[in-house]
Amino acid sequence: MNFGEGLTPEAIAFGLFTLLTLGGAFGVVTTRNLVRGAIWLIVSLFGIAGFFVLLSAPFLASVQVLVYIGAIGILFSFAVMLTRGMTNLKERFNSQWWLAALAAVIAFMLLMVGVIIPVFGNTGAPVSDQVQTTVDLGVALVSGNQYVLPFEVASLLLTAAMIGAIVIAREDD
Amino acid sequence: MQCDNIINTLAPCLVQSGWNGDLANFISIFLGVVLVATFPLLVTIGLIWFERKFAARIQDRMGPNRVGPFGLLQPFADVIKLLGKENITPAGADKVIYNIAPPLMVMSVLLIWAVIPLTPIHVGMDLEIGALYFVSVASFGTLAVIFASWSSNNKYALLGAFRVVAQLISYEIPLAFALLVPVLLAGSMSLVDITNAQAGMWFVFMAPLSALLFFVSSQAETGRGPFDLLEAESELVAGFNIEYSGMKFALFFAGEFMHVFTNGVLMAVLFTGGYIGIGGIENSIPLLGLVFLLLKAFVWYLLALLVRNALPRVRIDQLMNFNWKFLVPVSIVNLVMMAFLFKVVQELGLAPAPGLENDFVANIPQTLVLFAGNVVLGLLILSVVRQNFRRERLEESAKSAIVPVGAGD
């Protein structure tokens, strides 16, 4: 196998984004400083945005940056900053560590099996060829015979969550 | 693509003179990236001088006038001074994050320039999601502020960051809603399509309220007066960048100046036709398009400077009230109204006929309808605001009538 042959710009970018994603994820679980953990998480999520770009899904890439870095990443680092006592953790494990490890290993195995089996077998046809450009995606989300119901249900759920948050945070008059 | 001249078509010209195709493409793209990243920085040097002169005139001062004619060389003297300064890193700082923050701040602004159409044929990258891209890279600026303040290990910096995050995240909402109106009118999120859709009529005439909303919220996004709570000198010493010195501070400073001008450029692209000039002259001489774009951007920039220097700083509760109780509802109502009116205009056949989109006269009917809608909505909003303030005033005077003077102190 000749390595130089497959080294297209896409392959280099894929390697770089993989490094960002996996390295960031590794940083999240190994660092003892919670703010640094949040920053590693942002690095990891940025790598995933890169994968979306490589998959020619610029809309998803942009939304990934907007939602996961712009909103969730900032919220995490903000919340962690407010709890100064928690910033540097002394203990590495708590008493339920084996439970968490077991769950993580099982989930990882399931994921790997799900990913690897299709690689060796027939990958099959794409589930849908409706969505090719951002315009198609927008039309698919609001057209009656495609995804309008899930779209509306999701927005209802988010609105309910927001109202719930306001009710909980509200002081009693 | 054919080789016309070296500025418009570099890659084909290099190939014609015997270069390797891939190498020629690479060099062309590389030069483009360098140019797009350097150009705003160079413009900023001039703008720093201009802003200091402008602010000085408003405050009845002379402004910089020692280095060079009219003090024109002052920014260069400043850069040399800043380069010579010691780069201090506080002992309790998180060194890596402390050093990442300043470049991240500049990056968040420079990245916006990648999708801005500079002339009809020069655009860094015509993304089909240009408008969304702009909103998402802006979030890196917020991240940079958080990084800087936390890693400095300074309570004033952290206090500054709490204000910034509250402010930047809140004002992103009306910004995005106002941004959606040009997207709606052009039927595309690509900034090139949005510019071209304004060949007949600028969107600022069809959607003046959206332009105003975008202008106000982008002013707040830059964190400049009257929204400069993040570096309120009298309260926070200097805000999130208190521990930074030398070139690292200069990067924050340059990032802020560049952001203001970039907002002017965005206003020009989204609402006043970008590179489109008089009588389609920019199509025959593309570089003239850049001149038109910068001229328009400069007008918006002047307006931003005027607002900054003329208005006093708002309080934090006023800032939040103004956003959540005024800008957000208004921007949502404005978007719904524009979507409705635009559909009505199309159904009634007032929209320009296919092929006539770039004609000024053909655009007048729909512009009149949309403009009238904006005026009606604006008057409604003003009357509601007036009612609210009158009620508040009456309550206040009723309260002060009952309570004896000095009883509450």
Side-chain angles (χ1 to χ4, degrees), chain B residues 205-242:
Chain B
F205 298 117
M206 297 191 197
L209 271 182
S210 320
L212 190 66
L213 284 169
F214 189 85
F215 183 73
V216 172
S217 10
S218 61
Q219 183 85 357
E221 284 284 310
T222 53
R224 307 195 84 178
F227 307 106
D228 54 348
L229 287 155
L230 55 157
E231 43 183 282
E233 292 90 348
S234 49
E235 300 157 26
L236 293 171
V237 192
F240 66 89
N241 53 19
I242 182 169

Side-chain angles (χ1 to χ4, degrees), chain B residues 163-231:
Chain B
R163 291 180 174 193
V164 181
V165 174
Q167 175 178 339
L168 295 189
I169 291 180
S170 307
Y171 278 82
E172 253 173 37
I173 298 166
L175 185 86
F177 274 118
L179 184 69
L180 276 180
V181 172
V183 170
L184 185 90
L185 292 175
S188 166
M189 280 198 280
S190 148
L191 293 185
V192 174
D193 290 349
I194 289 177
T195 307
N196 288 333
Q198 298 176 71
M201 182 69 82
W202 290 354
F203 285 161
V204 71
F205 298 117
M206 297 191 197
L209 271 182
S210 320
L212 190 66
L213 284 169
F214 189 85
F215 183 73
V216 172
S217 10
S218 61
Q219 183 85 357
E221 284 284 310
T222 53
R224 307 195 84 178
F227 307 106
D228 54 348
L229 287 155
L230 55 157
E231 43 183 282

Side-chain angles (χ1 to χ4, degrees), chain A residues 33 35-36 39 42 46 56 58-63 65-67 69-71 73-75 77-78 80-82 84 87 132-135, chain B residues 94-97 127-129 132-137 139-140 142-143 146-147 149-150 153-154 158 161-163 165-166 169 172 187 189:
Chain A
N33 184 322
V35 176
R36 285 202 163 187
I39 289 166
I42 290 170
F46 185 79
S56 309
F59 180 79
L60 290 180
S62 201
V63 167
V65 171
L66 187 63
V67 173
I69 297 178
I74 287 175
L75 191 72
S77 28
F78 202 55
V80 170
M81 263 191 245
L82 283 168
R84 282 231 142 187
T87 309
Q132 281 169 344
T133 67
T134 309
V135 177
Chain B
D94 194 319
K95 290 204 177 50
V96 180
I97 303 170
L127 285 184
E128 57 172 349
I129 47 140
L132 190 69
Y133 167 87
F134 148 64
V135 179
S136 47
V137 295
S139 58
F140 286 122
T142 319
L143 264 188
I146 289 185
F147 284 7
S149 63
W150 179 78
N153 200 12
N154 179 308
L158 206 57
F162 291 159
R163 291 180 174 193
V165 174
I169 291 180
E172 253 173 37
M189 280 198 280

Side-chain angles (χ1 to χ4, degrees), chain B residues 86-152:
Chain B
E86 183 187 359
N87 268 324
I88 300 164
T89 306
D94 194 319
K95 290 204 177 50
V96 180
I97 303 170
Y98 181 82
N99 288 321
I100 286 175
L104 195 64
M105 186 77 170
V106 175
M107 196 187 85
S108 78
V109 183
L110 277 183
L111 278 177
I112 297 175
W113 283 76
V115 291
I116 288 177
L118 298 171
T119 76
I121 56 169
H122 294 104
V123 51
M125 183 81 199
D126 180 17
L127 285 184
E128 57 172 349
I129 47 140
L132 190 69
Y133 167 87
F134 148 64
V135 179
S136 47
V137 295
S139 58
F140 286 122
T142 319
L143 264 188
V145 172
I146 289 185
F147 284 7
S149 63
W150 179 78
S151 65
S152 305

